[in-house]
Structure formats: structure tokens, C-alpha cells
Amino acid sequence: MNSSYPLALLKHPPRYLFFTGKGGVGKTSCSTAVALALADSGLRVLLVSTDAASNLDEMLNVPLRNHPVAVPGALGLSVLNIDPNQAAEEYRLRVLAQLAVDVSESERGTVREQLSGACTTEIAAFDEFATLLAEPPADFDHIIFDTAPTGHTLRLLSLPKAWSGFLADNDRGASCLGPHSGLKMQEQRFQAALAALTDPALTEVVLVTRAEVAALAEAGRTSAELRELGLNRQRLLVNGVFKASDRSDAVALALEAQAETSLAAMPAALRELPRDQVPLRSFDTVGLVALRGLLSESPVGHPTSAALSPPAQLDAASLGVLCDDLAAAGHGLIMVMGKGGVGKTTIAAALAIGLVQRGHAVHLTTTDPAAHVLPTVHGDLAGLRVDCIDPKRETEMYIAKIMAARGRTLDDAGRALLLEDLQSPCTEEVAVFHAFSRVVSEARSAFVVMDTAPTGHSLLLMDATGAYHRQMMREFEGRNSAGRVLTPLMRLQDPHHTRIIIATLAEQTPVSQAAALQDDLKRAGITPFAWVINRSLLAAGARDPLLTARLIGEQRQVQRIRAGLAERLYVLPWSATPPVGVAALAGLTAS
């Protein structure tokens, strides 16, 4: 192995490497750099993204496809993106092709509509993922998975076990919502995927984290949940470790001390894992030179930061001003969206508490399976209700509701069959959508602040919202009821009802992903209200040489946002103390 790549994980890697962790910790950068290092050593490597909001295309300057694409300048490296929407369309075409030749166009349309929801999208993407594990392409030595943020990834990794168990107990084959009647034939593939995932000789999970309390805590929880799934070969990779070189820079010293304190207090389970560290770099990890430099002991091709002068501090409105602007409406849904790890939870919680302090009752909730909003608030405040859309609880309630409504007219055998269908893992997606719809409607007369899941998962929820809207429009077409039909999508499109806040960091990849998210929302008729730059070192006034190089990059991204991406821009400076608890969060929106 090339000695310029010092990570221990590169010495004897298994065939499958899974990179997972809290959003924003650098999973894509680290997994891509590892894939590139292995390819540079003469191995054939397939890098697979399971994130619906992947930025591998920008990072490697190659188009992402649902088949391997060779990376120019990196002999032996290919990339593949499991695009949920494309996988779902191919899945639909396979199902439609199996219909009898005499099926009418109307009946085909009905089947296509049955296959248009988020449930089908999840199954189709999972099917692509399972195939790579059960029937791996023979022309690659290693397959590296760059996964979506933790909550979505745990859902993905649990599906082989969930579907294998469901199919084993379902003699008729899965038929949830119509699209899965053929899954019984794929049971062997799902079992093979589960066997590969749980074989320590074949699979290692790399828990990527930052030297931050929240990221390390999530890595600890993820490690325990993965062990419950049978994935016992694990490794910890601490990314972006900073050492101050200017001992007179208070911001730099605080940043270093925060990392050291967090690492010293990491969960005990993580201490037992083999560990690698990657230092904080002065450059964005975009392009082959930067990616090779990320893991190198002596990065080349990057300008020195020693002679750089810190740019002027950032001049932008505060989060308190944003809270004043939102409070003026009196009620409504405020959704904070963005890439994983940009601070959506902190911003959402701070806005909710700020609105309470301005005299409003507020419901703060989250669609993120990781549910960080509860420990972030960490306290009680009169006028603030905090909860989460818990997938398991919502699924139980949904099943009970369907059994009560549809099962009351069935005999015992019919009820048993209905309950069997509702045990399908994809029922969870339907239940979560129904819960989301309730929350959207609640904002008609009060403030609801929603901390959303990272971009990819949120876009799948938006797809479900769009599919439901189209279904409702077809059902009520021609009934003179246009004024009475009001779907969740229509509420999201109404700027008087919903205000979307896009959260980002002032770095190239988060800003690019925020811009792509905004484009997706606008195509759905939803215009974001504002952007928030979180954890701004520029606003904090750092001057350490390494940080200075990063500040110049931050300034470029601020100019990019102001050049037409955001109608309104607000900023939240980096803080030496993570804002956790009601008092700390309240300080972020003080007038």
C-alpha cells in the first residue's frame, strides 16, 4: 500500500466498506478518498452512493448513473449512484411488463399510480442495494458504500433482515399497496445480502465522526444499533481534527480545546474500536488533487496559508432578525431543510424558542429518524411543545387505524391477511407521510417549526407529498370541488402557510447541495423564504493560518449565495460552546 496514505483501515480492508455517520461529518469525502487510495494502489474499486442527495458528481466531476462510470484520472475507480427515482421507474417498468397483454390502458394507469408512492421508491432503491451485496459485480476487488446520514442508513441496513423475516412469514408474497407481489421470488437475494452484511470477513462499517460531542454520541448509538443488526466489524474514523498554530487566536484555541474535550468524553463503546484520524485541511475536498491530499501526510498542490490575510468579518442579519420576520405572520409552518450536519436542528430549535419568547405557542417537531431535536432542547419552556414523528409509533397507530376501519367487516381469516400485509416494512413510509400531513395541517392556526431529515430523505417525503396531491386531484376532477380540496403539497406551496428555511455552511459542497435542494423545491412550486449560514468562522473572527485559508473560501461562498441564490440571508457565528438547552438556544435569537 502507498505509504503516503497512513490510515490503518487501508492495510487489510474487506471487500465491502460502509461509511456512515451523522450528516456533515465528511462521509463522502472520506469514503471517496479511501476509494481513490485503494484504486491508486492498483485495485479495482466501485464507489457506491446510497444518498438521494449525493454530491459525488461535483466532488469527482463525473456524471452519476445507476451503472458504474469510470473516473477519469483515477485508473481502477468507478462510481455508481443508487438513484431512488430512477430505480423506482425501472421497477415500475418491470412490473408493468409482467401484466397480461390484454390489460387495458386504464388498468395499466391504475397499476402505475399504485407504484408511484414513496414505498415503491424505497423498495426499488433497496433492491438495487441488495443486488450489489448478493450478486456483486466480479470485476471489482472492493465495493465502498457512501451512505446517507445515520437515520436513513440504519433504515437501509435493517431492510434485508426486515424483508427476509416478512417474506418468510408471508406465504402469499408481499402485496402492500400493490407493488410487491413479486418480492417472494427475491427472498433468496435478500437473505444473501443479509449474510454478506453480517460476515466480518466481507464487511466492515466505518463510523465517520467529527471531534464533537453530538457526532460522537450518534456514532456510539449507531454502533450499538449496528451490532443488534449483526454488523460487528466496526471502525471509528475521526475526521477534521484541528490543531491551532496561532496560540494567540482565541477562536482557534477554543476550536482545538472543544475537539480534545469531546474525544476525551467519547462513549466507551467507541473507545474499544480501532481508530483513524484525519486532520482538518485548509482546502475543500473537491477534485482528485484535494481528495488525494485529504489522506496524505504531505498534501501537495495547495497554496500555503501562512501568508494569507484574514478577510473582513461577515456582515449579515442575525438569527434574531429572522425570528422577528417570522413572528410577524402570527402562525404557520416553518420547515428547516438542508444537507446533513449543517445545523438544521439547532436553527429549528432556536427559532421555536425565539417565537415562544415573542409571545407565541409553538409546536417543535422533526421528521428525522435520528430525532436530535429532543436532546438539543434539553429542557422545558412554557408555550413550547417538543416531540418527533417517531416511525415505529406512527406505524403502530397507522396499523391500528387501518385494522379498525377496514378489518371490522372482515372475518378472522380476512383480518389475518390484512394484518399480514400491514406488517410489510414499507408500511412505515406510509405512516410517516400521514403523520407529516397532520403536522402540516396543524400550522393553519399556530406556529409549527419542523426540523427535517437530511436532504435526500426529505426529498423522498416530498415525492410522497406530490404523489398524494396528484392522486387527490384525479379523484376530485370534475366534481366542482376545486375550492374544497387542499392537499399537503398545496399548503407547502402557499407562502402564507409555509416558510422554508434552507440551512447551510459556507463551504462549497453544502452550498451546492443547498442550491440543488432549492431547485428541487422550486420545481415542486415551493419557494424558500430564506437561507441561514451556520457556524460561520468568518462571523466569529478567526485568524489562525489554517483557518484563514478556510475563511477565504467561506467568503467566496457567501458571495455566491448573495449573487442570486437567496432572497434573504442570515448568519449564525461559530460558538466555542455548542448551543444545547433552552437558555443557550434562546441566546441565538435574542433581539
Side-chain angles (χ1 to χ4, degrees), residues 8 53 67 77 90 143 217 267 343 346 352 372 403 407 410 530 547:
H67 57 79
L77 177 61
E90 293 175 355
I143 299 179
T346 297
H372 299 298
M403 289 299 298
L410 301 175
L547 297 181

Side-chain angles (χ1 to χ4, degrees), residues 133-157:
L133 291 168
E135 304 165 14
D139 47 351
F140 292 104
D141 300 303
H142 296 280
I143 299 179
I144 296 178
F145 291 87
D146 168 39
T147 69
T150 307
H152 206 197
T153 297
L154 287 171
R155 167 74 173 162
L156 177 70
L157 294 179

Side-chain angles (χ1 to χ4, degrees), residues 42 99 106 131 142 149 232 255 331 352 367 392 396 436 485:
L99 297 178
S106 174
T131 299
H142 296 280
N232 295 313
L255 191 62
H331 68 90
T367 64
K392 289 184 173 57
E396 292 171 357
F436 170 74
V485 179

Side-chain angles (χ1 to χ4, degrees), residues 37-110:
L38 292 172
D40 284 346
S41 71
L43 297 168
R44 300 164 301 169
V45 182
L46 177 63
L47 177 60
V48 179
S49 173
T50 67
D51 191 345
S54 176
N55 64 306
L56 271 177
D57 51 351
E58 180 182 31
M59 193 167 285
L60 290 170
N61 194 29
V62 292
L64 295 181
R65 301 284 186 267
N66 66 338
H67 57 79
V69 176
V71 178
L75 185 64
L77 177 61
S78 296
V79 295
L80 181 156
N81 177 230
I82 299 179
D83 183 296
N85 293 323
Q86 186 170 354
E89 179 58 21
E90 293 175 355
Y91 185 91
R92 281 188 285 268
L93 292 174
R94 289 199 301 272
V95 173
L96 290 169
Q98 296 172 8
L99 297 178
V101 293
D102 59 346
V103 170
S104 69
E105 284 303 314
S106 174
E107 290 171 319
R108 285 181 178 275
T110 299

Side-chain angles (χ1 to χ4, degrees), residues 162-353:
W163 275 112
S164 295
F166 175 69
L167 295 173
D169 296 333
N170 189 339
D171 293 334
R172 302 173 301 109
S175 58
C176 175
L177 303 182
H180 313 301
S181 59
L183 280 178
K184 189 72 173 178
M185 299 171 61
Q186 296 167 284
E187 182 176 359
Q188 186 175 359
R189 181 190 301 170
F190 297 162
Q191 290 175 340
L194 178 61
L197 280 173
T198 55
D199 185 346
L202 288 176
T203 299
E204 181 173 57
V205 178
V206 182
L207 297 163
V208 184
T209 184
R210 294 272 184 173
E212 300 168 358
V213 171
L216 286 161
E218 181 157 325
R221 291 190 296 270
T222 302
S223 176
E225 293 190 49
L226 290 171
R227 290 190 188 282
E228 290 181 6
L229 293 172
L231 282 75
N232 295 313
R233 181 173 175 178
Q234 301 176 11
R235 174 180 294 274
L236 186 67
L237 176 59
V238 185
N239 185 34
V241 179
F242 173 69
K243 296 293 183 183
S245 59
D246 182 348
R247 308 308 293 183
S248 68
D249 184 347
V251 173
L253 292 178
L255 191 62
E256 179 185 289
Q258 186 183 87
E260 291 176 347
T261 301
S262 300
L263 289 173
M266 77 167 64
L270 296 182
R271 295 180 181 279
E272 302 172 1
L273 299 178
R275 187 196 314 176
D276 283 305
Q277 287 191 181
V278 176
L280 181 69
R281 299 300 190 185
S282 63
F283 47 85
D284 284 327
T285 49
V286 175
L288 294 180
V289 172
L291 288 163
R292 286 186 170 109
L294 178 62
L295 303 186
S296 175
E297 292 177 308
S298 303
V300 296
H302 298 283
T304 177
S305 58
L308 297 176
S309 298
Q313 290 192 13
L314 176 59
D315 179 23
S318 69
L319 208 62
V321 175
L322 172 57
C323 204
D324 290 337
D325 294 343
L326 294 171
H331 68 90
L333 173 66
I334 299 165
M335 292 181 67
V336 183
M337 303 183 71
K339 182 181 184 296
V342 298
K344 296 184 300 296
T345 302
T346 297
I347 293 168
L351 290 175
I353 290 171

Side-chain angles (χ1 to χ4, degrees), residues 279-433:
L280 181 69
R281 299 300 190 185
S282 63
F283 47 85
D284 284 327
T285 49
V286 175
L288 294 180
V289 172
L291 288 163
R292 286 186 170 109
L294 178 62
L295 303 186
S296 175
E297 292 177 308
S298 303
V300 296
H302 298 283
T304 177
S305 58
L308 297 176
S309 298
Q313 290 192 13
L314 176 59
D315 179 23
S318 69
L319 208 62
V321 175
L322 172 57
C323 204
D324 290 337
D325 294 343
L326 294 171
H331 68 90
L333 173 66
I334 299 165
M335 292 181 67
V336 183
M337 303 183 71
K339 182 181 184 296
V342 298
K344 296 184 300 296
T345 302
T346 297
I347 293 168
L351 290 175
I353 290 171
L355 288 170
V356 171
Q357 292 182 319
R358 287 159 175 78
H360 300 281
V362 180
H363 177 195
L364 172 62
T365 189
T366 181
T367 64
D368 190 344
H372 299 298
V373 70
L374 301 176
T376 297
V377 173
H378 191 61
D380 297 321
L381 177 66
L384 178 66
R385 175 163 64 97
V386 185
D387 61 22
C388 65
I389 297 177
D390 180 79
K392 289 184 173 57
R393 184 179 69 243
E394 295 299 336
T395 301
E396 292 171 357
M397 293 170 56
Y398 178 78
I399 290 174
K401 179 180 177 181
I402 296 300
M403 289 299 298
R406 293 169 51 189
R408 62 187 177 188
T409 60
L410 301 175
D411 57 19
D412 288 345
R415 287 177 58 84
L417 288 175
L418 176 60
L419 182 60
E420 185 178 278
D421 278 345
L422 290 171
Q423 299 303 321
S424 159
C426 67
T427 299
E428 180 179 298
E429 297 294 327
V430 180
V432 168
F433 168 70

